[in-house]
Amino acid sequence: MLSSDTASVRVGWIGLGTMGLEMARNLQRHRASTGQTPITVYNRTQSKCAAVAEHGAHTVTSPAQVADASDVVFLSLLNDQAVKSVVTEILDALTVSSAPLLIADTTTVHPDTTQWVLDQISQQQQQLRRPVKFCQTPVWGAPPAAKAAQLVFVVSAGDDNSALAAIAVPAFARTTLDCGGDSLKAARFKVLGNFMIGAIIESLGEAFAVAHETGVGRELYLDFVKEVLPVPPVLGYARKMVEENGDAAKTQVGFNVRGGMKDVSYAIDVAKSAGMTLPVAELAHEHLQWVLDNGDESWDWSSLAYALRKQ
């Protein structure tokens, strides 16, 4: 169990992509400014570590070295395969017999991947040199929210949730949502949360397309969104559908088309596991596939509105 004195908890971070870099940098800044132990960071592209090291973080050259130097290791990785690869490397190379290790994965993954990790740890626990625990700790928020330390952080580590919350808030998150000790619940929660965002984008895309074709106009419809639905994600995606003559999603990229397709397909799978369907998710997936086939996978996933205008 993590110490309630989080100032002395040894924290590691693996993965410095668009989200991970901002989160790790904010975490190190916060710990440095409050006299806490520095974090240990690793990224496959080592040069990215400099942006966190300049604030006092230690850098190492492998995930295993992060684990050896840490009580809790946060993962922020590209996809499910990267999570499996890093977890495998950590488990295969644990060389220091010490306090228990908690792996907290902020990556959005399929619940099957969460189960795979839990199974691997369970099967290998007797052979490991130190007790290892895994929890799914996804976040909600776009890169600007990560930069501003305004993410929503999900915890699922049971007795360690309060310590994880103390590490994350206010360092890189503004609040936490508690899934108890159920990592599978946390994984499904994240997927269904992302589905809701995708459903909002699909609805906005349909509404703006019809508003444009019927003479209401995208600009006037944006005024409606501003006045009636002034929630940051809704307003942010709505603006991308209006600005630059409706093509802002091609250049203002927070989450790309392929990532959106992945998350929508995961939501469809979660519904199927319960014998249910998500018709809006299926529509969004269809429109994202059109953008992938006829546009560019690097565009923001709100570019599904472009598909609605062009189809």
Side-chain angles (χ1 to χ4, degrees):
M1 185 172 177
L2 292 177
S3 170
S4 58
D5 176 19
T6 55
S8 62
V9 172
R10 299 176 303 156
V11 179
W13 196 282
I14 298 174
L16 299 174
T18 304
M19 295 289 288
L21 176 59
E22 299 296 352
M23 294 163 70
R25 181 158 46 194
N26 281 337
L27 179 57
Q28 175 55 36
R29 283 172 174 164
H30 175 74
R31 293 182 72 82
S33 69
T34 52
Q36 301 185 56
T37 56
I39 69 172
T40 301
V41 297
Y42 165 80
N43 190 68
R44 185 174 58 180
T45 303
Q46 283 282 290
S47 59
K48 285 191 173 183
C49 294
V52 189
E54 68 180 15
H55 297 285
H58 299 311
T59 63
V60 293
T61 58
S62 73
Q65 289 177 323
V66 175
D68 283 346
S70 305
D71 299 310
V72 55
V73 175
F74 289 93
L75 309 182
S76 180
L77 302 170
L78 179 63
N79 53 32
D80 298 56
Q81 187 53 49
V83 170
K84 291 181 177 181
S85 177
V86 166
V87 169
T88 297
E89 184 171 346
I90 289 174
L91 297 182
D92 287 348
L94 283 178
T95 58
V96 177
S97 179
S98 60
L101 172 66
L102 175 63
I103 302 173
D105 183 21
T106 71
T107 315
T108 299
V109 297
H110 195 290
D112 287 352
T113 295
T114 302
Q115 186 63 63
W116 182 91
V117 173
L118 292 171
D119 289 344
Q120 291 300 306
I121 292 173
S122 176
Q123 293 166 12
Q124 298 182 47
Q125 192 71 75
Q126 295 301 317
Q127 288 75 46
L128 298 175
R129 288 178 174 267
R130 58 192 293 200
V132 178
K133 179 179 176 181
F134 176 84
C135 62
Q136 206 66 55
T137 55
V139 298
W140 276 295
K147 186 173 184 178
Q150 290 295 300
L151 297 171
V152 175
F153 180 59
V154 178
V155 291
S156 64
D159 292 342
D160 286 317
N161 282 347
S162 59
L164 283 177
I167 292 169
V169 180
F172 62 80
R174 61 179 175 82
T175 192
T176 61
L177 297 175
D178 196 322
C179 284
D182 192 339
S183 285
L184 279 173
K185 179 179 179 179
R188 296 184 185 113
F189 186 28
K190 170 59 172 172
V191 167
L192 291 176
N194 282 14
F195 156 68
M196 179 59 73
I197 296 170
I200 289 169
I201 294 171
E202 173 67 27
S203 296
L204 286 170
E206 292 178 16
F208 276 110
V210 175
H212 177 70
E213 292 299 325
T214 59
V216 172
R218 289 192 292 263
E219 292 77 10
L220 181 58
Y221 202 81
L222 178 58
D223 288 339
F224 157 75
V225 174
K226 290 177 180 177
E227 297 300 329
V228 180
L229 301 166
V231 182
V234 177
L235 194 52
Y237 285 119
R239 284 181 170 139
K240 289 183 182 182
M241 296 177 188
V242 175
E243 294 173 0
E244 299 178 29
N245 196 32
D247 288 340
K250 296 179 182 179
T251 57
Q252 299 177 24
V253 182
F255 192 55
N256 67 28
V257 171
R258 197 171 288 281
M261 289 185 70
K262 178 200 75 170
D263 283 5
V264 170
S265 68
Y266 285 2
I268 292 170
D269 283 351
V270 168
K272 285 181 178 177
S273 72
M276 303 172 74
T277 61
L278 291 174
V280 176
E282 292 168 2
L283 273 176
H285 192 276
E286 175 186 326
H287 294 141
L288 287 167
Q289 183 64 58
W290 189 95
V291 175
L292 193 64
D293 294 339
N294 298 278
D296 194 313
E297 67 176 37
S298 67
W299 293 352
D300 190 83
W301 68 324
S302 60
S303 61
L304 65 78
Y306 182 77
L308 287 159
R309 298 202 318 266
K310 297 297 182 180
Q311 281 184 325

